Amino acid sequence: MDEAFSFVFLMVAATLRVATPLVLCAMGGLFSEKSGIIDVGLEGKMLMAAFFGAATASVSGSAWVGVAAAIVAAEALALLHGFACITWRGNQVVSGVAINIIAAGLTVVLGNAWFARGGQTPALVGDQRLMSLFFPTAGDNAIVYLALLSVPATWWIIERTRFGLRLRAVGEMPLAVDAAGISVTWLRYRAVLLCGLLAGLAGAYLSVAQGAGFGRDMTAGQGFIALAAIIFGKWRPFPAFGACLMFGLLDAIAIRLQGVKVSGIGEVPVQLILALPYLLTMFLLAGFIGRAVAPKAAGIPYEKER
Amino acid sequence: MRALRRPLPPWADIVLLPVINVALAFLTVGVLVALIGVNPLHALKLLIGGAIGSSESIGYTLYYTTNFIFTGLAVAVAFHAGLFNIGGEGQAYIGGLGCGLAVLALDRYLPGWILIPLAIAAAALFGAAWAAVPAWMQAWRGSHVVITTIMFNFVASALMVYLMVNVLIAPGSMTPQSRNFGPAGKIPSMHDALHTIGINVAPSALNLSILLAILCCVGVWVFLWHTPWGYALRTMGHNPEAAVYAGTNLKSMTMLAMCLSGGLAGFVGVNELMGVHQRIVLDFPAGYGFAGIAVALMGRSHPFGIVLAALLFGALQQGGAELAFEIPSMTREMVVVIQGLVILFSGALAHLPRPWLQSLLALRSS
Amino acid sequence: MTAAPAIELRGIDKRFGSVHAVRGVSLVIEKGAITGIVGENGAGKSTLMSILYGLYRTDGGEILVEGESAPMDSPRDAIARGIGMVHQHFMLVDTFTVLENLVLGAEGGPLLAGGLAAARAELLRLSREYGLTVDPDARVADLSVGEQQRVEILKVLFRGARILILDEPSAVLTPQETDQLFRILATLKERGVSVVLITHKLREIMAATDCVYVMRQGQVVAERRTADTNPEELAELMVGRKVRLELDKAAPQRGEVRLEVEHLSLVDFRGVRLLDDIDLQLRAGEIVGIAGVSGNGQTELLQVLAGIRAPTSGRFTVCGRTVDAAHAIDPGEMRDLGLAHVPEDRHRQGMVAAFRASETSILGYHDEPPFSHNYILSNPVVGAHCAKLMEQFDVRPRLPGLLSGNFSGGNQQKLVLAREMARKPKVLLVGQPTRGVDIGAIEFIHRELVKSRDAGCAVLVVSVELDEILSLADRILVMFAGRIVGEVEQGLADERTLGLMMTGAKAA
Amino acid sequence: AQTAVKPAVVYANGGKFDKSFNEGVSNGVEKFKAETKIPVVDFEPANETQFEQAQRRFAQRGQDPIIAVGFSQAVALEKVAKEFPNTRFTIIDMVVPQPNVQSVLFKEHEGSFLVGVAAALASKSGKIGFVGGMDIPLIRRFQCGYEQGIKYADPKAELIANMTGTTPAAWNDPGRGAELAKGQFDRGADVVYAAAGNTGVGVLQAAKDRGKLAIGVDSNQNYLHPGTMLTSMLKRVDLAAYQSFKAANDGTWKAGAQVLGLKEGGVDWALDQFNEKLITPEMKAKIDAAKADIISGKIVVHDYMSNNACK
Ligand SMILES: Nc1ncnc2c1ncn2[C@@H]1O[C@H](COP(=O)(O)OP(=O)(O)OP(=O)(O)O)[C@@H](O)[C@H]1O
Ligand SMILES: Nc1ncnc2c1ncn2[C@@H]1O[C@H](COP(=O)(O)OP(=O)(O)OP(=O)(O)O)[C@@H](O)[C@H]1O
Ligand SMILES: [Mg+2]
Ligand SMILES: [Mg+2]
């Protein structure tokens, strides 16, 4: 009985630990995509945030200063994305890809120049990191709770506020928003900035809360998984949250499944287990969630001459 | 007050604008380089010298160019069909598996002049097959290729590690790599080929695969602009409804476009495995698939433009390595940053210099 | 002293790149009157109104609202000055409810709940006052076009507009709906609202307006009191030459049956019946017109007949080949049988804006000789073909190398028609042959269609313009809710009864 | 004064500061530099093709000797060594049979055996973890040696093993390393051994966060988290690099293969001020006994790579 409880507790904790950056990214991406700006660059934002978060925390000695720096870094990239896609009406996917590549390179270049450790930041110790608040074995630091909070907050903003109504409208029909006397540009910039805020938190989580320092490419594809979660959730906060939890749980299970022998098949190859989240994503995308309908104007620059 | 804006003349659109875009990217890099305490002009000199300073460095530049042409064409063909293939990385990987398997299976029985074309075909086939799955999912199940091709890159990697570790590993090998290809499975290197006709150049990784790359450029150009299928493919890319109206089956056209794209990406395996490594190794696509996006964007998805862009990227890759040789603080990631900035400035921010150019040209002409 | 006019425009100027869309236009909109604006395609009407509404920024000139200079930098300024606009293409968010669309931009606070409740009350009041009933909780996507327009008008009234601009409001309405619209406009006028009405239908100008401006090539070329003018004069002012408003044609010489449709039905993936048991016959040498409010299955009928969609049940026979659910056909094969199709929406289907005109001129025939030989496309042959089409159909400018999207709407339409008629098809399907096309081009297109009928082609025309159907068709079918609800011979039809059939109220 | 050597290093993928393998070489090089004041040039390649390029470029410039770090450089070196028969090369982790190449190999399984013994002795739960980088034979060799050591010290102990990933990122993903380690702790493990390059940093960190024990690899990583670092499996690549340069400088450099095991001091376990509190005298005695037995040949540690199986 007790063992079962602790098993469940540990699985839940492991799931949440892995899901936290996904949830934050997915909620951020949701704001952006609801406003009609596709964000393939979540990965890059998170990476840049992780780097600046760790770098600042290690220099300043304070984890929260690091978190703030992480958010600023992600916001800078968010503004770049906005500048390219909103102001200059560039291709949103291309801009996202560029941001990912720039972040992957720049973090290492800067890391090398500043710390001369092959792109890593010094390991964070003591107050330079956010530690568990209540359950040391669970790793429940402040950002985990922020991530949990971000889901109802996102829902409430999108469904219940004026900003949310306009956000939904601008992702469906920007022309109608423009004709109603509301600035499409400013609305979209706000959405992109919200996305930067959340992606920044996710990055900070990776390097100053869950981890203890930055390592090159430390996001390892989680931005894309968050993107997939948004699609699974059909651009709705709670279902997207569910998808993130599913990925987290899958990961927790995958870790336990390695080396386990399945009767009849023998030992499951490690590689299969590692590829499982990707395969499952494809499998579900292909068959089980039905056709997910993106906001109609997503990906289309609002081209309007004045 | 407001300068009158006129649309740019075609020459400015096709030549001037991309050049300015790349220049902007380099300008930004220059600032970055200066920020980390290196003289940008000195770095530029080393970069150029490293890329084209000797016959060896030219060889390496062209060898990288070969890869970039393949992945650039791959991305471009999909682009023309309105599809965004981010899976070049995985397709190149599996393409390499295809030619590798063909060579491993047959290099003891067949002479090179039969085996090499066969293995090249196998590379195309495997690359195409790896692209066909996301294509099928987009065409029939409506899941977007951008997501599925990314996922398939990870799956390709897992599959290759599994195969290399458990199946294809050479007996007694320390590392996951296959046995060496027999001589029949080797594409001659350029310095050897040139040597036989009496020209001596320094050895480099450049091999005859570059001829395949040039052939692909011509083939893609003919296909896209001079065949009815190419016409239908471009129609789909610009306006799917018009394509349906014109009698094109979007599903099969999606399959065709992605398979062509995957096949082209698969040729990276030919250059790398049959041309250089002469065995199957892990991780040989090394980012060429992603860089292909930049190459296609810069080259305006036209084979000729792609050759130019691939040359630039090849020179960057080679010159960047030399740069890292000479200046320790210039790490190899600098080249990655440059690639990213080129994608940003010639892709997403392509129109940035346009108003300025328009006013400039309007002023001059008035 | 007379009160200042509601709006005065002085010397308004606007360029889009090299297109000089509006050239120094001055006009006056009187308070409490209905002002009409007419003009050929691309004359600059919509652009002018968009400037007034703040959607475009003017390059020169001044806007005065009730005598005061009023710069319009964004629609916000226009709304604040009491200007409302119902656009040519509706500005509604499909996925929103009527109520949500109503409050967008006028939410009344950072939280939605209060604003929505207040809007619901206001909506009820407006509905009662003007007889504009809509369900506040219905999703806009589920509303008919007429209802959507009502929402647009409600939106304007909800914001308390005193000046109402309507850009081609009747293009999508049945005659009955149009009548209701004009009753509403009359009510508004009574309450002191000033109305600007843009339309291509001279009859509406004559019936509803107090005065009318005529625009041509970006300029106002005439101003008339409605009582002092007539449609012939207006048409001439618009086009700059005499226009024959009547189409004269001989009686049809009917030949063999080229298209036979039996019990044709189409059900979409949600189970909605888009086509319901359609029967029709089309003979060589006749033009059959299909009338109906858009969205009643005409689009789908053309798609099925052209091979773009497969029918769910029933069958049809084209030139001897029978098609049903089990024996589907694709548009390419259809063309091989001798069927040509001018789609309703040329931008979305008939052409590729990014292609050169020469490439658009072989769309659908690209894999046939002489364009394609041994699987190679011959660009010189294609170019020459396009030049010939442009000559025959007077497509301007005559530049096969120009991008298709850079031709004006009327010329794009001519290019598409030319392409489809060039092969002398046995059956010609034409959707909305002159939608949004000006009077001069309409005249030309109608004559070409009659010519090919006289040459023995079987022509099926779908149009929402009753005038067009009445003058062009030898036989008229009326579609409503996916069914053919009536059939009338030409000469026996009149607008009233057809209009009633189109709403499903009366069957013949 | 003397005709100084002009040494050079070509690092493996992963970079100079991976806190383990490459960094070990780098430490040896630094030591050489500090002692002799002879400058050493180095290069971190971006992809496999650059191995050959870098080796050749260094040789052309007259650098000598040149160390090629890591097994993946072998094929390239085979070619380049033939082109430059007068240049001396040293390769680590692989054999290149050329007259001008020195090959240095390590018996990682022997070192891993020892830390396995330590792990089994320190574990209270009898469950012991292992986090590898990629599932490749070299890492299996580590795991297999470790497992034998565990079984030797405690036949009932159970090994929980995880691999990190399938892409090169697997060597560089501390976040995932930490998560894998936490997963193992959740399943009851209380000692974990990381053989995953930079990923290991996360593993060691996770152990610290949870108050469990961790074992480092390649370099001595004990200093990273004093108190939770049980020990490190030393693979003395630093020594190999240092000695190669030193020998060249002294004129005693010799080509040929050398396999460095416990006997040769090529592998070992680390005991220093950072972990001395964790290693009780009994533990130390048992580990040293095992070490002596391996050196004397009484215990034969099976090498996974001899037959691609752990038995
Ligand atoms: N966004 C734009 N960019 C470039 N040119 C434009 C743009 N919008 C309109 N134009 C040009 O301005 C001219 C006026 O167009 P406008 O839409 O105002 O005509 P219109 O009188 O409303 O025509 P219609 O009767 O077809 O609605 C057209 O020739 C068109 O070419
Ligand atoms: N967004 C745009 N950018 C550049 N030119 C445009 C744009 N929109 C329209 N044009 C130009 O405007 C001209 C007319 O286009 P437009 O579609 O307004 O014609 P139209 O006769 O009003 O057709 P429609 O019946 O479709 O309204 C074309 O020559 C085209 O080049
Ligand atoms: Mg128009
Ligand atoms: Mg208009």
Side-chain angles (χ1 to χ4, degrees), chain C residues 202 206 224-237:
Chain C
L202 299 178
M206 300 312 295
R224 294 282 185 276
R225 297 211 60 75
T226 309
D228 303 339
T229 187
N230 58 53
E232 287 73 22
E233 187 195 17
L234 289 176
E236 193 178 335
L237 285 167

Short mmCIF file of all heavy atoms in Angstrom, two decimals, chain C residues 202 206 224-237:
data_model
loop_
_atom_site.label_atom_id
_atom_site.label_comp_id
_atom_site.label_asym_id
_atom_site.label_seq_id
_atom_site.Cartn_x
_atom_site.Cartn_y
_atom_site.Cartn_z
N LEU C 202 -27.12 49.49 -61.51
CA LEU C 202 -27.65 50.83 -61.74
C LEU C 202 -29.10 50.93 -61.26
O LEU C 202 -29.56 51.98 -60.82
CB LEU C 202 -27.54 51.18 -63.22
CG LEU C 202 -26.08 51.18 -63.70
CD1 LEU C 202 -26.00 51.49 -65.18
CD2 LEU C 202 -25.26 52.19 -62.91
N MET C 206 -30.81 53.89 -58.99
CA MET C 206 -32.00 54.64 -59.35
C MET C 206 -33.06 54.53 -58.26
O MET C 206 -33.75 55.50 -57.95
CB MET C 206 -32.58 54.12 -60.69
CG MET C 206 -31.65 54.22 -61.88
SD MET C 206 -30.85 55.83 -62.08
CE MET C 206 -32.27 56.86 -62.42
N ARG C 224 -24.43 63.52 -60.20
CA ARG C 224 -25.79 63.75 -60.68
C ARG C 224 -26.74 63.62 -59.51
O ARG C 224 -26.51 62.83 -58.60
CB ARG C 224 -26.18 62.69 -61.72
CG ARG C 224 -25.41 62.72 -63.02
CD ARG C 224 -25.90 63.84 -63.92
NE ARG C 224 -25.23 63.80 -65.20
CZ ARG C 224 -24.03 64.35 -65.46
NH1 ARG C 224 -23.38 64.98 -64.50
NH2 ARG C 224 -23.50 64.27 -66.67
N ARG C 225 -27.84 64.41 -59.58
CA ARG C 225 -28.96 64.10 -58.69
C ARG C 225 -29.66 62.91 -59.31
O ARG C 225 -29.86 62.87 -60.53
CB ARG C 225 -29.92 65.28 -58.58
CG ARG C 225 -29.28 66.53 -57.97
CD ARG C 225 -30.30 67.34 -57.19
NE ARG C 225 -30.92 66.59 -56.10
CZ ARG C 225 -30.31 66.31 -54.95
NH1 ARG C 225 -29.06 66.70 -54.75
NH2 ARG C 225 -30.95 65.64 -54.01
N THR C 226 -30.02 61.93 -58.52
CA THR C 226 -30.56 60.70 -59.08
C THR C 226 -31.81 60.98 -59.93
O THR C 226 -32.00 60.37 -60.99
CB THR C 226 -30.93 59.73 -57.95
OG1 THR C 226 -29.81 59.61 -57.10
CG2 THR C 226 -31.31 58.37 -58.49
N ALA C 227 -32.58 61.92 -59.47
CA ALA C 227 -33.81 62.22 -60.19
C ALA C 227 -33.53 62.75 -61.59
O ALA C 227 -34.38 62.63 -62.48
CB ALA C 227 -34.63 63.23 -59.40
N ASP C 228 -32.31 63.29 -61.80
CA ASP C 228 -32.02 63.94 -63.07
C ASP C 228 -31.28 63.05 -64.05
O ASP C 228 -30.78 63.52 -65.07
CB ASP C 228 -31.16 65.19 -62.84
CG ASP C 228 -31.82 66.16 -61.90
OD1 ASP C 228 -33.05 66.06 -61.75
OD2 ASP C 228 -31.11 66.97 -61.28
N THR C 229 -31.13 61.76 -63.74
CA THR C 229 -30.31 60.94 -64.64
C THR C 229 -31.02 59.63 -64.96
O THR C 229 -32.15 59.40 -64.50
CB THR C 229 -28.94 60.66 -64.02
OG1 THR C 229 -28.12 60.00 -64.98
CG2 THR C 229 -29.05 59.81 -62.77
N ASN C 230 -30.38 58.78 -65.78
CA ASN C 230 -30.96 57.48 -66.11
C ASN C 230 -29.84 56.45 -66.28
O ASN C 230 -28.67 56.84 -66.43
CB ASN C 230 -31.80 57.59 -67.38
CG ASN C 230 -30.97 58.10 -68.54
OD1 ASN C 230 -29.91 57.55 -68.85
ND2 ASN C 230 -31.43 59.19 -69.17
N PRO C 231 -30.15 55.15 -66.26
CA PRO C 231 -29.10 54.13 -66.30
C PRO C 231 -28.22 54.24 -67.54
O PRO C 231 -27.00 54.04 -67.44
CB PRO C 231 -29.89 52.81 -66.32
CG PRO C 231 -31.19 53.14 -65.72
CD PRO C 231 -31.48 54.57 -66.07
N GLU C 232 -28.77 54.55 -68.67
CA GLU C 232 -27.95 54.62 -69.88
C GLU C 232 -26.86 55.69 -69.74
O GLU C 232 -25.71 55.46 -70.07
CB GLU C 232 -28.83 54.93 -71.11
CG GLU C 232 -29.68 53.77 -71.58
CD GLU C 232 -30.87 53.49 -70.65
OE1 GLU C 232 -31.28 54.43 -69.91
OE2 GLU C 232 -31.36 52.35 -70.65
N GLU C 233 -27.27 56.83 -69.20
CA GLU C 233 -26.29 57.90 -69.05
C GLU C 233 -25.19 57.48 -68.08
O GLU C 233 -24.00 57.67 -68.34
CB GLU C 233 -26.97 59.17 -68.54
CG GLU C 233 -26.00 60.36 -68.53
CD GLU C 233 -26.50 61.54 -67.69
OE1 GLU C 233 -27.43 61.36 -66.86
OE2 GLU C 233 -25.97 62.63 -67.86
N LEU C 234 -25.60 56.86 -66.97
CA LEU C 234 -24.61 56.44 -65.97
C LEU C 234 -23.63 55.45 -66.57
O LEU C 234 -22.41 55.54 -66.35
CB LEU C 234 -25.31 55.86 -64.73
CG LEU C 234 -26.05 56.86 -63.85
CD1 LEU C 234 -26.78 56.14 -62.72
CD2 LEU C 234 -25.10 57.90 -63.27
N ALA C 235 -24.17 54.48 -67.30
CA ALA C 235 -23.30 53.46 -67.89
C ALA C 235 -22.29 54.10 -68.82
O ALA C 235 -21.10 53.76 -68.81
CB ALA C 235 -24.14 52.43 -68.65
N GLU C 236 -22.75 55.05 -69.60
CA GLU C 236 -21.85 55.70 -70.53
C GLU C 236 -20.77 56.48 -69.78
O GLU C 236 -19.59 56.46 -70.15
CB GLU C 236 -22.65 56.63 -71.44
CG GLU C 236 -21.85 57.11 -72.62
CD GLU C 236 -22.70 57.99 -73.54
OE1 GLU C 236 -23.94 57.85 -73.54
OE2 GLU C 236 -22.12 58.83 -74.24
N LEU C 237 -21.18 57.16 -68.71
CA LEU C 237 -20.21 57.92 -67.92
C LEU C 237 -19.16 57.00 -67.31
O LEU C 237 -17.97 57.33 -67.22
CB LEU C 237 -20.94 58.68 -66.80
CG LEU C 237 -21.71 59.91 -67.23
CD1 LEU C 237 -22.63 60.38 -66.11
CD2 LEU C 237 -20.76 61.03 -67.66
#
